[in-house]
């Protein structure tokens, strides 16, 4: 790990794409994963937590501290996505049952304690799922808002609209109330929306590259991709599937591969029709506070070159 490595906490709801994001982070010396917190999202909390342990053991990193978090959104009933990720949330390949320990502390308390004890603005939060844990931490300990270096979140969409409803992306849709708490907290926030991740499409050649590694990580990522591609290909009619969550790590490691704009983004929480929509003032017509750096483009090939090189570092 580099001496200048960025300390990060990954808040996640694995999910195959979360798994690829975690594998990318753990293979990158630019990042120092000081903890993983799990949240209900793609599948219920017991499975997202089990899956986080499976993924860390796949990476041969049973040293990573994993904390289980919130099992339902702040107000709405939990909506999950087994139709995309399968019953286990990591369908596509059979992986060994995890044996690494789960930390006893609740994820929300871990987040609060970590930011209270660390020097100000030295740890970044990467959110890959519904923002419930982060919102609960901010509501329980508002003082940490000024101590968080920045938040990088996969979620939302503007030009790309939504993926679970016409206007809402899954992470924001599941817990729009939590997203509103985070977007209103005045924290340095970068949003990695569908506008970017829908350009980060997998393809058959990439899957072949992964299998050519002849490693357990290569085989797992190839099999996960084969599995979740089937849903996205049918839905979007595209030749591949969007790799949503790994774009968060890609941005942290190589921000030059992305472009965006500092704009105002509000979260719709009331309307039954558009709940979870990220109302992005891309053309700055409202004059509202610019509370987010909202990404819009990705160098797709540069990102996949980075991802493939890093996944290729795993042995065995
Ligand atoms: O909309 C895509 C997001 O929802 C990704 O984070 C995926 O893992 C799911 O959580
Ligand atoms: Ca996710």
């Amino acid at each position: 790990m580099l001496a200048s490595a960025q300390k990060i906490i990954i808040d996640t709801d694995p999910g195959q794409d979360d798994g690829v994001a975690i594998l990318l982070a753990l293979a990158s010396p630019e990042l120092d994963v000081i903890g993983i917190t799990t949240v209900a999202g793609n599948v219920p909390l017991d499975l997202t937590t089990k899956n986080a342990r499976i993924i860390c053991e796949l990476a041969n990193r049973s040293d990573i501290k994993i904390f289980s978090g919130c099992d339902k959104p702040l107000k709405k009933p939990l909506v999950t996505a087994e139709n995309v990720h399968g019953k286990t949330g990591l369908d596509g390949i059979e992986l060994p049952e995890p044996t690494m320990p789960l930390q006893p502390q609740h994820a929300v308390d871990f987040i609060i304690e970590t930011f209270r004890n660390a020097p100000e603005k030295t740890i970044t939060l990467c959110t890959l799922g519904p923002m419930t844990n982060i919102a609960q931490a901010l509501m329980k300990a508002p003082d940490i808002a000024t101590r968080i270096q920045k938040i990088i979140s996969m979620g939302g969409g503007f030009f790309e609209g939504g993926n679970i409803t016409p206007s809402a992306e899954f992470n924001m849709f599941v817990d729009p109330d939590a997203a509103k708490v985070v977007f209103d907290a005045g924290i340095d926030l970068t949003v990695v929306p569908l506008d970017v991740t829908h350009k980060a499409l997998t393809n058959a050649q990439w899957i072949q590259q992964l299998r050519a590694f002849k490693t357990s990580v290569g085989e797992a990522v190839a099999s996960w991709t084969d599995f979740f591609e089937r849903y996205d290909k049918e839905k979007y009619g595209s030749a591949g599937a969007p790799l949503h969550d790994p774009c968060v790590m890609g941005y942290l490691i190589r921000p030059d591969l992305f472009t965006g704009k500092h704009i105002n983004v509000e979260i719709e929480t009331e309307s039954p029709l558009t709940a979870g929509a990220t109302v992005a003032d891309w053309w700055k017509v409202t004059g509202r506070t610019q509370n987010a750096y909202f990404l819009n483009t990705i160098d797709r090939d540069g990102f996949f070159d980075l991802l493939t090189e890093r996944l290729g570092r795993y042995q065995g």
Side-chain angles (χ1 to χ4, degrees):
M1 187 183 313
L2 301 177
S4 60
Q6 165 73 64
K7 291 186 185 311
I8 66 172
I9 292 172
I10 302 174
D11 190 72
T12 179
D13 64 334
Q16 293 92 345
D17 63 318
D18 302 69
V20 181
I22 293 167
L23 290 170
L24 173 55
L26 294 177
S28 297
E30 302 89 341
L31 304 177
D32 175 11
V33 180
I34 63 170
I36 291 179
T37 52
T38 60
V39 66
N42 285 319
V43 286
L45 179 67
D46 60 324
L47 286 175
T48 59
T49 303
K50 176 181 175 185
N51 292 342
R53 295 163 67 210
I54 287 173
I55 294 157
C56 285
E57 289 191 332
L58 175 64
N60 199 22
R61 290 297 305 276
S62 55
D63 60 297
I64 295 290
K65 295 199 179 329
I66 298 175
F67 303 81
S68 186
C70 298
D71 63 358
K72 60 182 182 301
L74 295 188
K75 294 181 185 171
K76 289 180 60 180
L78 177 63
V79 169
T80 52
E82 287 86 351
N83 59 320
V84 181
H85 299 273
K87 200 167 172 346
T88 70
L90 283 185
D91 282 27
I93 185 171
E94 199 74 28
L95 291 169
E97 286 294 299
T99 57
M100 68 179 283
L102 176 67
Q103 300 303 311
Q105 189 176 30
H106 191 283
V108 170
D109 296 324
F110 165 72
I111 290 169
I112 293 170
E113 186 179 280
T114 302
F115 283 105
R116 280 182 169 162
N117 294 343
E120 270 203 358
K121 299 195 191 298
T122 55
I123 302 169
T124 287
L125 260 177
C126 299
T127 76
L128 311 182
M131 300 173 121
T132 316
N133 288 338
I134 317 308
Q136 288 284 18
L138 288 168
M139 292 190 297
K140 189 172 179 182
D143 56 290
I144 67 169
T146 57
R147 306 188 65 81
I148 297 171
Q149 183 173 20
K150 58 181 180 292
I151 297 179
I152 320 284
S153 280
M154 191 280 138
F158 177 59
F159 294 99
E160 284 291 309
N163 59 1
I164 186 165
T165 72
S167 50
E169 175 279 326
F170 180 80
N171 289 337
M172 300 297 166
F173 174 77
V174 168
D175 200 342
D177 302 289
K180 179 167 175 51
V181 169
V182 176
F183 277 61
D184 290 353
I187 298 167
D188 180 343
L189 171 65
T190 296
V191 181
V192 186
L194 297 177
D195 307 59
V196 162
T197 66
H198 278 181
K199 297 164 188 159
L201 296 179
T202 62
N203 61 34
Q205 181 206 346
W206 184 61
I207 294 173
Q208 282 165 10
Q209 281 179 278
L210 292 169
R211 289 214 156 90
F213 289 145
K214 302 227 178 296
T215 60
S216 47
V217 164
E219 183 54 33
V221 175
S223 304
W224 287 339
T225 306
D226 278 337
F227 181 83
F228 70 72
E229 263 192 352
R230 89 217 177 285
Y231 173 83
D232 287 305
K233 278 178 171 176
E234 190 188 329
K235 179 173 178 178
Y236 298 111
S238 51
L243 260 189
H244 302 289
D245 294 334
C247 291
V248 168
M249 304 307 162
Y251 175 75
L252 265 178
I253 300 162
R254 286 280 310 277
D256 59 298
L257 295 176
F258 301 79
T259 66
K261 220 179 184 181
H262 290 282
I263 60 171
N264 173 266
V265 181
E266 302 293 336
I267 309 294
E268 172 57 63
T269 57
E270 303 308 323
S271 156
L273 186 61
T274 59
T278 47
V279 182
D281 184 7
W282 186 259
W283 305 115
K284 303 191 179 183
V285 296
T286 68
R288 288 195 290 252
T289 308
Q290 297 178 6
N291 60 336
Y293 185 57
F294 198 82
L295 299 186
N296 175 250
T297 71
I298 180 175
D299 170 346
R300 184 262 175 214
D301 292 342
F303 168 68
F304 271 87
D305 289 347
L306 169 72
L307 176 60
T308 308
E309 189 278 324
R310 295 297 158 94
L311 294 178
R313 295 189 182 191
Y314 287 98
Q315 304 299 317

